[in-house]
Every structure is written in structure tokens, then in C-alpha cells.
Amino acid sequence: MASAAGAGADGERRNVSDATGVLVLGTCAVWSLVTAAVHGGRPEGVLLAVLAVAAGYATGRISGVLLPVAAPAAAALAGVTLTLAGPRLAPGPEVASPLGHAGAAAAVLTLSAGAACCAAWATPVPALRLALRVLAVGVVAAGAVRGATTAVVLCCAVLLCSLAAGQVRRRGPALAGLALSAGLVAALTWAVAGNALPSGLSGALADELTPRRVDLWHDALVLAHGDAVVGVGPGRFGELSATAARSALSDGKPHSAPLQVAAEQGVVGVLLLAAAFCWVLFALWRAPRPTPVVLTAGATLTALAALASVGNALSFTTVSAGAGLLAGLATARPLTVEPPASPAPSGVRRPDARHGDRPAA
């Protein structure tokens, strides 16, 4: 009886997170259509991104149930193979790193490292866990071979966070910290675009980010101020940005997801983008997977959010689908009960490493 009641309560919690995701993603799609209708924009890019995330999430949920270890390991291998075998993830002009395809490659490698680490935490076999962590180190090496400094830094950060996740017992505060980190990166991007930082710091960041990128951000902020509610319409930044118009290699994007959404879909679009990220963290908090798996996925998706704040990663369908896939894998309920990440000391009762501080069943 108690077991059945616990399973029912757990299913109800999962229904809440799933319903929240459907609502958030559906609203994102509808709002892109509304803003396109107001200004004659092109919502296809937003709709494709929403579809890619939803499809990746559903695929991850299904494969995570059937193959909780093999599925993320295969995803990690696929991501590395895709990055090394196909230097260009989508057609279009080659742009200097990390404005264009290099940023997308860094995102795919980061997701691959996170998937390998999730697979390592999901297996109870020590030898297999070691092999999967070696695979994650191999992803870092792949980034170095490709010359992607951003990918190496982010993959190393994911590896370190994954190792630290094994010592964390309360997933709620950790996930809240990840959300705060992503918000701080987005706020810093906004401050650079608006010249709100001290001149010395602003100049140093501008040199590191490249002046053209900062000019694109500034154009996006100007457009956002022009129509703060609905923006200028999805897909219209390239038409209205003076910096983009002057560049022969421009792809018509400001290379910052929050600023692009602010310019093209207004403050409502920004709130929906933030809501989508918060929903993923909320789903991870309620997930029945072990806490190290959940926090590893959360750290990986936070690294991707930081990269998307300063680059163009989310403009690639591969990246959007990969993010949804990892989130689905980390929130799936395997058919077999997964053991705690490490054995508890003899005679000591500790919090359940599988569930951390998520609501008790």
C-alpha cells in the first residue's frame, strides 16, 4: 500500500513538471507567432528550436528508461563524432571563433562531456564508470585537437562539477546556484551591451569578446528599447542592425540568446526564455535519478546557457536537440532501481543519494 502510494505521488510530481514544460514550450511557440504577426517577422527559427528541444527531451526520456547507461554514453560518442567528422554543423558563412560554428562545436562537445559523466554516475560497475570518465576526458582532448579553447574550458568545468556532485546531498540549493550562475552571465552580457560597467573592465571584456560582437549586442539592446513589449519581430535583427548590415559575413544574429530574444520578441520573450531554463532545472529537481546524475546534467546545461549568452550556439538545431536530449536522459525513470553513488559508512544513515532533497514520495 505504502509503495503504491509512493509511486502515485512520484507520478503526480512528474506530471506537474511535464505539464509545466508543455505550457512553457507551447507559450514560447505561440509568442513567436504573435510577435511575427505584429511586425511581419519570421518565426520559423523559434518554432524549429522549440520542436528540437521537445523532440530531444522526449527521445531522452524514452531512451533513458530503457538504457540509462548506454543511451547517454552513445549520445556522448555521437556528439564527439559529429564535431570531429563534420567541422560545420550547419550551412552558412564561416565566422571567427566563437561567433559562429566554433561556438556550436563547443556546445556539442560540452553536452557530450556532460552525457558521458551522467552515464558514469548511472552505472554501478566501477570499471565501466572509470571507462566513461575516460570518455569524458577524451571529449576534452577532442576539443583541444580541434583548437576550441572555449570547449576545453567548459568541458573541464563540467567534469569538475560532476566529480563534486558525488559529495552533494541536497540538490535544491545546488540547482538554485546553477540558475543564479546562468543569470549572472546573462546580466553581465546585458551590462556590456549597455556600457554599464566601469571603463577599464568594459574595455578588457570588449577586447576579449571582440568589438564586432559588442557592437551587435549594443544594436540588439537599442532595438529592444525601441519596442520593449513585443520586439521587432523574430528573424528581423539582421535587417535592422547597422553592424550586421556592414559585415559581409554576418548571419543576421546578435550572437547572444537573451539579447536576440529581447530585440526580436521583447521582454515577454526574455521571460519565456528564462522560464524554459528554470523549467529544466525544476524537472531535474523532481527527477527520480540519482543526485549526481541530476547535478551533472544541470551543470552541463548551465554551461550551455552561459555559452548561449555570449554566442550563437542555440541557433543550431543540433545544439537545441542535444540540450533537450540530455535533459530527458537526466529526468527519465530507469526500469531498474539505481544504487547510491557511493556506499555509506558502516552504521551511518545518510540522506538518499538518489533523490537528494526532492519531495519525498
Side-chain angles (χ1 to χ4, degrees), residues 147-184:
T149 304
T150 304
V152 172
V153 171
L154 291 178
C155 289
C156 287
V158 168
L159 275 169
L160 293 175
C161 289
S162 179
L163 293 175
Q167 306 302 317
V168 176
R169 296 294 169 260
R170 294 180 57 83
R171 65 176 66 176
L175 291 172
L178 293 175
L180 179 61
S181 300
L184 289 176

PDB file of all heavy atoms in Angstrom, residues 147-184:
ATOM      1  N   GLY A 147      41.174  22.690 -31.417  1.00  0.00           N
ATOM      2  CA  GLY A 147      41.607  24.056 -31.150  1.00  0.00           C
ATOM      3  C   GLY A 147      40.524  24.927 -30.575  1.00  0.00           C
ATOM      4  O   GLY A 147      40.580  26.155 -30.691  1.00  0.00           O
ATOM      5  N   ALA A 148      39.542  24.315 -29.921  1.00  0.00           N
ATOM      6  CA  ALA A 148      38.412  25.053 -29.352  1.00  0.00           C
ATOM      7  C   ALA A 148      38.674  25.300 -27.868  1.00  0.00           C
ATOM      8  O   ALA A 148      38.361  24.450 -27.020  1.00  0.00           O
ATOM      9  CB  ALA A 148      37.116  24.285 -29.560  1.00  0.00           C
ATOM     10  N   THR A 149      39.264  26.438 -27.560  1.00  0.00           N
ATOM     11  CA  THR A 149      39.596  26.752 -26.176  1.00  0.00           C
ATOM     12  C   THR A 149      38.345  26.824 -25.314  1.00  0.00           C
ATOM     13  O   THR A 149      38.333  26.344 -24.170  1.00  0.00           O
ATOM     14  CB  THR A 149      40.345  28.090 -26.108  1.00  0.00           C
ATOM     15  OG1 THR A 149      41.497  28.024 -26.943  1.00  0.00           O
ATOM     16  CG2 THR A 149      40.771  28.399 -24.678  1.00  0.00           C
ATOM     17  N   THR A 150      37.291  27.417 -25.854  1.00  0.00           N
ATOM     18  CA  THR A 150      36.032  27.522 -25.106  1.00  0.00           C
ATOM     19  C   THR A 150      35.507  26.142 -24.743  1.00  0.00           C
ATOM     20  O   THR A 150      35.047  25.915 -23.619  1.00  0.00           O
ATOM     21  CB  THR A 150      34.988  28.283 -25.928  1.00  0.00           C
ATOM     22  OG1 THR A 150      35.501  29.561 -26.293  1.00  0.00           O
ATOM     23  CG2 THR A 150      33.700  28.457 -25.139  1.00  0.00           C
ATOM     24  N   ALA A 151      35.564  25.206 -25.685  1.00  0.00           N
ATOM     25  CA  ALA A 151      35.085  23.849 -25.426  1.00  0.00           C
ATOM     26  C   ALA A 151      35.898  23.185 -24.335  1.00  0.00           C
ATOM     27  O   ALA A 151      35.351  22.516 -23.447  1.00  0.00           O
ATOM     28  CB  ALA A 151      35.140  23.019 -26.710  1.00  0.00           C
ATOM     29  N   VAL A 152      37.215  23.353 -24.361  1.00  0.00           N
ATOM     30  CA  VAL A 152      38.076  22.743 -23.342  1.00  0.00           C
ATOM     31  C   VAL A 152      37.733  23.280 -21.961  1.00  0.00           C
ATOM     32  O   VAL A 152      37.600  22.522 -20.992  1.00  0.00           O
ATOM     33  CB  VAL A 152      39.562  22.992 -23.675  1.00  0.00           C
ATOM     34  CG1 VAL A 152      40.453  22.530 -22.532  1.00  0.00           C
ATOM     35  CG2 VAL A 152      39.948  22.274 -24.970  1.00  0.00           C
ATOM     36  N   VAL A 153      37.559  24.598 -21.862  1.00  0.00           N
ATOM     37  CA  VAL A 153      37.250  25.207 -20.567  1.00  0.00           C
ATOM     38  C   VAL A 153      35.910  24.716 -20.036  1.00  0.00           C
ATOM     39  O   VAL A 153      35.782  24.326 -18.866  1.00  0.00           O
ATOM     40  CB  VAL A 153      37.260  26.747 -20.692  1.00  0.00           C
ATOM     41  CG1 VAL A 153      36.726  27.397 -19.413  1.00  0.00           C
ATOM     42  CG2 VAL A 153      38.662  27.247 -20.983  1.00  0.00           C
ATOM     43  N   LEU A 154      34.891  24.712 -20.898  1.00  0.00           N
ATOM     44  CA  LEU A 154      33.554  24.306 -20.451  1.00  0.00           C
ATOM     45  C   LEU A 154      33.509  22.820 -20.112  1.00  0.00           C
ATOM     46  O   LEU A 154      32.870  22.415 -19.132  1.00  0.00           O
ATOM     47  CB  LEU A 154      32.523  24.635 -21.527  1.00  0.00           C
ATOM     48  CG  LEU A 154      32.261  26.132 -21.761  1.00  0.00           C
ATOM     49  CD1 LEU A 154      31.249  26.323 -22.878  1.00  0.00           C
ATOM     50  CD2 LEU A 154      31.768  26.803 -20.493  1.00  0.00           C
ATOM     51  N   CYS A 155      34.166  21.979 -20.911  1.00  0.00           N
ATOM     52  CA  CYS A 155      34.174  20.545 -20.624  1.00  0.00           C
ATOM     53  C   CYS A 155      34.900  20.250 -19.318  1.00  0.00           C
ATOM     54  O   CYS A 155      34.459  19.399 -18.533  1.00  0.00           O
ATOM     55  CB  CYS A 155      34.827  19.787 -21.778  1.00  0.00           C
ATOM     56  SG  CYS A 155      33.844  19.725 -23.297  1.00  0.00           S
ATOM     57  N   CYS A 156      35.991  20.948 -19.062  1.00  0.00           N
ATOM     58  CA  CYS A 156      36.697  20.771 -17.791  1.00  0.00           C
ATOM     59  C   CYS A 156      35.817  21.209 -16.627  1.00  0.00           C
ATOM     60  O   CYS A 156      35.791  20.559 -15.571  1.00  0.00           O
ATOM     61  CB  CYS A 156      38.003  21.568 -17.796  1.00  0.00           C
ATOM     62  SG  CYS A 156      39.301  20.854 -18.834  1.00  0.00           S
ATOM     63  N   ALA A 157      35.076  22.299 -16.812  1.00  0.00           N
ATOM     64  CA  ALA A 157      34.165  22.762 -15.755  1.00  0.00           C
ATOM     65  C   ALA A 157      33.089  21.718 -15.483  1.00  0.00           C
ATOM     66  O   ALA A 157      32.748  21.451 -14.317  1.00  0.00           O
ATOM     67  CB  ALA A 157      33.537  24.092 -16.163  1.00  0.00           C
ATOM     68  N   VAL A 158      32.567  21.106 -16.539  1.00  0.00           N
ATOM     69  CA  VAL A 158      31.546  20.073 -16.374  1.00  0.00           C
ATOM     70  C   VAL A 158      32.128  18.864 -15.639  1.00  0.00           C
ATOM     71  O   VAL A 158      31.496  18.297 -14.733  1.00  0.00           O
ATOM     72  CB  VAL A 158      30.974  19.650 -17.743  1.00  0.00           C
ATOM     73  CG1 VAL A 158      30.141  18.386 -17.617  1.00  0.00           C
ATOM     74  CG2 VAL A 158      30.131  20.773 -18.319  1.00  0.00           C
ATOM     75  N   LEU A 159      33.337  18.467 -15.999  1.00  0.00           N
ATOM     76  CA  LEU A 159      33.988  17.337 -15.332  1.00  0.00           C
ATOM     77  C   LEU A 159      34.166  17.605 -13.838  1.00  0.00           C
ATOM     78  O   LEU A 159      33.870  16.744 -12.993  1.00  0.00           O
ATOM     79  CB  LEU A 159      35.341  17.069 -15.983  1.00  0.00           C
ATOM     80  CG  LEU A 159      35.340  16.179 -17.229  1.00  0.00           C
ATOM     81  CD1 LEU A 159      36.702  16.235 -17.916  1.00  0.00           C
ATOM     82  CD2 LEU A 159      35.012  14.753 -16.868  1.00  0.00           C
ATOM     83  N   LEU A 160      34.660  18.781 -13.499  1.00  0.00           N
ATOM     84  CA  LEU A 160      34.882  19.120 -12.094  1.00  0.00           C
ATOM     85  C   LEU A 160      33.560  19.171 -11.329  1.00  0.00           C
ATOM     86  O   LEU A 160      33.460  18.679 -10.198  1.00  0.00           O
ATOM     87  CB  LEU A 160      35.615  20.451 -11.992  1.00  0.00           C
ATOM     88  CG  LEU A 160      37.063  20.455 -12.505  1.00  0.00           C
ATOM     89  CD1 LEU A 160      37.649  21.867 -12.456  1.00  0.00           C
ATOM     90  CD2 LEU A 160      37.923  19.493 -11.696  1.00  0.00           C
ATOM     91  N   CYS A 161      32.543  19.772 -11.938  1.00  0.00           N
ATOM     92  CA  CYS A 161      31.231  19.835 -11.278  1.00  0.00           C
ATOM     93  C   CYS A 161      30.651  18.442 -11.083  1.00  0.00           C
ATOM     94  O   CYS A 161      30.016  18.152 -10.060  1.00  0.00           O
ATOM     95  CB  CYS A 161      30.270  20.696 -12.096  1.00  0.00           C
ATOM     96  SG  CYS A 161      30.643  22.461 -12.058  1.00  0.00           S
ATOM     97  N   SER A 162      30.872  17.552 -12.073  1.00  0.00           N
ATOM     98  CA  SER A 162      30.351  16.200 -11.959  1.00  0.00           C
ATOM     99  C   SER A 162      31.028  15.453 -10.818  1.00  0.00           C
ATOM    100  O   SER A 162      30.371  14.736 -10.045  1.00  0.00           O
ATOM    101  CB  SER A 162      30.551  15.451 -13.278  1.00  0.00           C
ATOM    102  OG  SER A 162      30.067  14.134 -13.187  1.00  0.00           O
ATOM    103  N   LEU A 163      32.329  15.598 -10.690  1.00  0.00           N
ATOM    104  CA  LEU A 163      33.038  14.939  -9.592  1.00  0.00           C
ATOM    105  C   LEU A 163      32.574  15.486  -8.241  1.00  0.00           C
ATOM    106  O   LEU A 163      32.386  14.734  -7.284  1.00  0.00           O
ATOM    107  CB  LEU A 163      34.547  15.136  -9.759  1.00  0.00           C
ATOM    108  CG  LEU A 163      35.175  14.428 -10.963  1.00  0.00           C
ATOM    109  CD1 LEU A 163      36.643  14.797 -11.093  1.00  0.00           C
ATOM    110  CD2 LEU A 163      35.026  12.913 -10.843  1.00  0.00           C
ATOM    111  N   ALA A 164      32.378  16.799  -8.173  1.00  0.00           N
ATOM    112  CA  ALA A 164      31.913  17.404  -6.923  1.00  0.00           C
ATOM    113  C   ALA A 164      30.482  16.987  -6.606  1.00  0.00           C
ATOM    114  O   ALA A 164      30.086  16.935  -5.432  1.00  0.00           O
ATOM    115  CB  ALA A 164      32.013  18.924  -7.015  1.00  0.00           C
ATOM    116  N   ALA A 165      29.692  16.688  -7.640  1.00  0.00           N
ATOM    117  CA  ALA A 165      28.286  16.322  -7.417  1.00  0.00           C
ATOM    118  C   ALA A 165      28.140  15.068  -6.585  1.00  0.00           C
ATOM    119  O   ALA A 165      27.119  14.860  -5.923  1.00  0.00           O
ATOM    120  CB  ALA A 165      27.581  16.135  -8.764  1.00  0.00           C
ATOM    121  N   GLY A 166      29.167  14.211  -6.609  1.00  0.00           N
ATOM    122  CA  GLY A 166      29.103  12.992  -5.817  1.00  0.00           C
ATOM    123  C   GLY A 166      29.109  13.248  -4.318  1.00  0.00           C
ATOM    124  O   GLY A 166      28.736  12.367  -3.535  1.00  0.00           O
ATOM    125  N   GLN A 167      29.516  14.455  -3.900  1.00  0.00           N
ATOM    126  CA  GLN A 167      29.557  14.796  -2.479  1.00  0.00           C
ATOM    127  C   GLN A 167      28.367  15.636  -2.044  1.00  0.00           C
ATOM    128  O   GLN A 167      28.267  16.015  -0.875  1.00  0.00           O
ATOM    129  CB  GLN A 167      30.854  15.568  -2.178  1.00  0.00           C
ATOM    130  CG  GLN A 167      32.112  14.854  -2.626  1.00  0.00           C
ATOM    131  CD  GLN A 167      32.260  13.487  -1.988  1.00  0.00           C
ATOM    132  OE1 GLN A 167      32.018  13.332  -0.794  1.00  0.00           O
ATOM    133  NE2 GLN A 167      32.656  12.493  -2.783  1.00  0.00           N
ATOM    134  N   VAL A 168      27.480  15.962  -2.975  1.00  0.00           N
ATOM    135  CA  VAL A 168      26.344  16.836  -2.670  1.00  0.00           C
ATOM    136  C   VAL A 168      25.146  15.966  -2.308  1.00  0.00           C
ATOM    137  O   VAL A 168      24.816  15.013  -3.009  1.00  0.00           O
ATOM    138  CB  VAL A 168      26.009  17.744  -3.869  1.00  0.00           C
ATOM    139  CG1 VAL A 168      24.772  18.587  -3.571  1.00  0.00           C
ATOM    140  CG2 VAL A 168      27.198  18.634  -4.194  1.00  0.00           C
ATOM    141  N   ARG A 169      24.480  16.307  -1.218  1.00  0.00           N
ATOM    142  CA  ARG A 169      23.316  15.545  -0.790  1.00  0.00           C
ATOM    143  C   ARG A 169      22.007  16.296  -0.991  1.00  0.00           C
ATOM    144  O   ARG A 169      20.951  15.699  -0.992  1.00  0.00           O
ATOM    145  CB  ARG A 169      23.462  15.170   0.699  1.00  0.00           C
ATOM    146  CG  ARG A 169      24.639  14.240   0.960  1.00  0.00           C
ATOM    147  CD  ARG A 169      24.398  12.892   0.306  1.00  0.00           C
ATOM    148  NE  ARG A 169      25.602  12.053   0.316  1.00  0.00           N
ATOM    149  CZ  ARG A 169      26.398  11.918  -0.726  1.00  0.00           C
ATOM    150  NH1 ARG A 169      26.142  12.545  -1.851  1.00  0.00           N
ATOM    151  NH2 ARG A 169      27.462  11.152  -0.642  1.00  0.00           N
ATOM    152  N   ARG A 170      22.059  17.608  -1.130  1.00  0.00           N
ATOM    153  CA  ARG A 170      20.844  18.404  -1.321  1.00  0.00           C
ATOM    154  C   ARG A 170      20.910  19.061  -2.696  1.00  0.00           C
ATOM    155  O   ARG A 170      21.682  19.995  -2.919  1.00  0.00           O
ATOM    156  CB  ARG A 170      20.701  19.453  -0.220  1.00  0.00           C
ATOM    157  CG  ARG A 170      20.459  18.840   1.161  1.00  0.00           C
ATOM    158  CD  ARG A 170      20.334  19.920   2.228  1.00  0.00           C
ATOM    159  NE  ARG A 170      19.266  20.869   1.932  1.00  0.00           N
ATOM    160  CZ  ARG A 170      17.982  20.661   2.217  1.00  0.00           C
ATOM    161  NH1 ARG A 170      17.602  19.530   2.788  1.00  0.00           N
ATOM    162  NH2 ARG A 170      17.080  21.567   1.923  1.00  0.00           N
ATOM    163  N   ARG A 171      20.104  18.537  -3.602  1.00  0.00           N
ATOM    164  CA  ARG A 171      20.171  19.034  -4.975  1.00  0.00           C
ATOM    165  C   ARG A 171      19.523  20.404  -5.150  1.00  0.00           C
ATOM    166  O   ARG A 171      19.892  21.147  -6.053  1.00  0.00           O
ATOM    167  CB  ARG A 171      19.527  18.033  -5.931  1.00  0.00           C
ATOM    168  CG  ARG A 171      18.030  17.831  -5.728  1.00  0.00           C
ATOM    169  CD  ARG A 171      17.421  16.906  -6.767  1.00  0.00           C
ATOM    170  NE  ARG A 171      17.915  15.553  -6.649  1.00  0.00           N
ATOM    171  CZ  ARG A 171      17.468  14.539  -7.400  1.00  0.00           C
ATOM    172  NH1 ARG A 171      16.514  14.751  -8.303  1.00  0.00           N
ATOM    173  NH2 ARG A 171      17.949  13.330  -7.258  1.00  0.00           N
ATOM    174  N   GLY A 172      18.553  20.749  -4.296  1.00  0.00           N
ATOM    175  CA  GLY A 172      17.848  22.022  -4.451  1.00  0.00           C
ATOM    176  C   GLY A 172      18.768  23.231  -4.408  1.00  0.00           C
ATOM    177  O   GLY A 172      18.779  24.048  -5.342  1.00  0.00           O
ATOM    178  N   PRO A 173      19.570  23.427  -3.336  1.00  0.00           N
ATOM    179  CA  PRO A 173      20.474  24.573  -3.298  1.00  0.00           C
ATOM    180  C   PRO A 173      21.485  24.575  -4.438  1.00  0.00           C
ATOM    181  O   PRO A 173      21.837  25.636  -4.963  1.00  0.00           O
ATOM    182  CB  PRO A 173      21.171  24.416  -1.936  1.00  0.00           C
ATOM    183  CG  PRO A 173      20.216  23.630  -1.110  1.00  0.00           C
ATOM    184  CD  PRO A 173      19.553  22.684  -2.064  1.00  0.00           C
ATOM    185  N   ALA A 174      21.955  23.377  -4.828  1.00  0.00           N
ATOM    186  CA  ALA A 174      22.917  23.313  -5.932  1.00  0.00           C
ATOM    187  C   ALA A 174      22.288  23.772  -7.239  1.00  0.00           C
ATOM    188  O   ALA A 174      22.892  24.540  -8.007  1.00  0.00           O
ATOM    189  CB  ALA A 174      23.448  21.887  -6.070  1.00  0.00           C
ATOM    190  N   LEU A 175      21.065  23.325  -7.511  1.00  0.00           N
ATOM    191  CA  LEU A 175      20.385  23.759  -8.731  1.00  0.00           C
ATOM    192  C   LEU A 175      20.064  25.252  -8.694  1.00  0.00           C
ATOM    193  O   LEU A 175      20.130  25.935  -9.719  1.00  0.00           O
ATOM    194  CB  LEU A 175      19.109  22.938  -8.928  1.00  0.00           C
ATOM    195  CG  LEU A 175      19.318  21.466  -9.287  1.00  0.00           C
ATOM    196  CD1 LEU A 175      17.990  20.710  -9.252  1.00  0.00           C
ATOM    197  CD2 LEU A 175      19.972  21.327 -10.661  1.00  0.00           C
ATOM    198  N   ALA A 176      19.712  25.765  -7.508  1.00  0.00           N
ATOM    199  CA  ALA A 176      19.477  27.205  -7.386  1.00  0.00           C
ATOM    200  C   ALA A 176      20.758  27.984  -7.677  1.00  0.00           C
ATOM    201  O   ALA A 176      20.722  29.045  -8.324  1.00  0.00           O
ATOM    202  CB  ALA A 176      18.964  27.528  -5.982  1.00  0.00           C
ATOM    203  N   GLY A 177      21.893  27.456  -7.223  1.00  0.00           N
ATOM    204  CA  GLY A 177      23.166  28.103  -7.533  1.00  0.00           C
ATOM    205  C   GLY A 177      23.471  28.102  -9.015  1.00  0.00           C
ATOM    206  O   GLY A 177      24.010  29.085  -9.553  1.00  0.00           O
ATOM    207  N   LEU A 178      23.127  27.012  -9.700  1.00  0.00           N
ATOM    208  CA  LEU A 178      23.332  26.964 -11.150  1.00  0.00           C
ATOM    209  C   LEU A 178      22.457  27.990 -11.857  1.00  0.00           C
ATOM    210  O   LEU A 178      22.908  28.660 -12.803  1.00  0.00           O
ATOM    211  CB  LEU A 178      23.023  25.561 -11.660  1.00  0.00           C
ATOM    212  CG  LEU A 178      23.981  24.451 -11.216  1.00  0.00           C
ATOM    213  CD1 LEU A 178      23.480  23.092 -11.696  1.00  0.00           C
ATOM    214  CD2 LEU A 178      25.391  24.716 -11.724  1.00  0.00           C
ATOM    215  N   ALA A 179      21.207  28.116 -11.405  1.00  0.00           N
ATOM    216  CA  ALA A 179      20.318  29.119 -12.008  1.00  0.00           C
ATOM    217  C   ALA A 179      20.867  30.516 -11.804  1.00  0.00           C
ATOM    218  O   ALA A 179      20.839  31.358 -12.718  1.00  0.00           O
ATOM    219  CB  ALA A 179      18.922  29.002 -11.397  1.00  0.00           C
ATOM    220  N   LEU A 180      21.393  30.782 -10.608  1.00  0.00           N
ATOM    221  CA  LEU A 180      21.968  32.102 -10.321  1.00  0.00           C
ATOM    222  C   LEU A 180      23.184  32.365 -11.204  1.00  0.00           C
ATOM    223  O   LEU A 180      23.366  33.472 -11.716  1.00  0.00           O
ATOM    224  CB  LEU A 180      22.348  32.180  -8.849  1.00  0.00           C
ATOM    225  CG  LEU A 180      22.998  33.487  -8.388  1.00  0.00           C
ATOM    226  CD1 LEU A 180      22.055  34.665  -8.606  1.00  0.00           C
ATOM    227  CD2 LEU A 180      23.406  33.385  -6.916  1.00  0.00           C
ATOM    228  N   SER A 181      24.005  31.337 -11.418  1.00  0.00           N
ATOM    229  CA  SER A 181      25.190  31.493 -12.258  1.00  0.00           C
ATOM    230  C   SER A 181      24.809  31.864 -13.687  1.00  0.00           C
ATOM    231  O   SER A 181      25.404  32.769 -14.297  1.00  0.00           O
ATOM    232  CB  SER A 181      26.009  30.200 -12.255  1.00  0.00           C
ATOM    233  OG  SER A 181      26.432  29.875 -10.949  1.00  0.00           O
ATOM    234  N   ALA A 182      23.817  31.156 -14.230  1.00  0.00           N
ATOM    235  CA  ALA A 182      23.369  31.471 -15.592  1.00  0.00           C
ATOM    236  C   ALA A 182      22.815  32.885 -15.665  1.00  0.00           C
ATOM    237  O   ALA A 182      23.053  33.621 -16.639  1.00  0.00           O
ATOM    238  CB  ALA A 182      22.315  30.459 -16.040  1.00  0.00           C
ATOM    239  N   GLY A 183      22.069  33.293 -14.635  1.00  0.00           N
ATOM    240  CA  GLY A 183      21.519  34.645 -14.609  1.00  0.00           C
ATOM    241  C   GLY A 183      22.603  35.705 -14.545  1.00  0.00           C
ATOM    242  O   GLY A 183      22.491  36.766 -15.181  1.00  0.00           O
ATOM    243  N   LEU A 184      23.666  35.438 -13.793  1.00  0.00           N
ATOM    244  CA  LEU A 184      24.760  36.410 -13.688  1.00  0.00           C
ATOM    245  C   LEU A 184      25.478  36.589 -15.025  1.00  0.00           C
ATOM    246  O   LEU A 184      25.850  37.710 -15.391  1.00  0.00           O
ATOM    247  CB  LEU A 184      25.749  35.959 -12.613  1.00  0.00           C
ATOM    248  CG  LEU A 184      25.256  36.070 -11.168  1.00  0.00           C
ATOM    249  CD1 LEU A 184      26.289  35.494 -10.205  1.00  0.00           C
ATOM    250  CD2 LEU A 184      24.960  37.527 -10.805  1.00  0.00           C
TER     251      LEU A 184
END
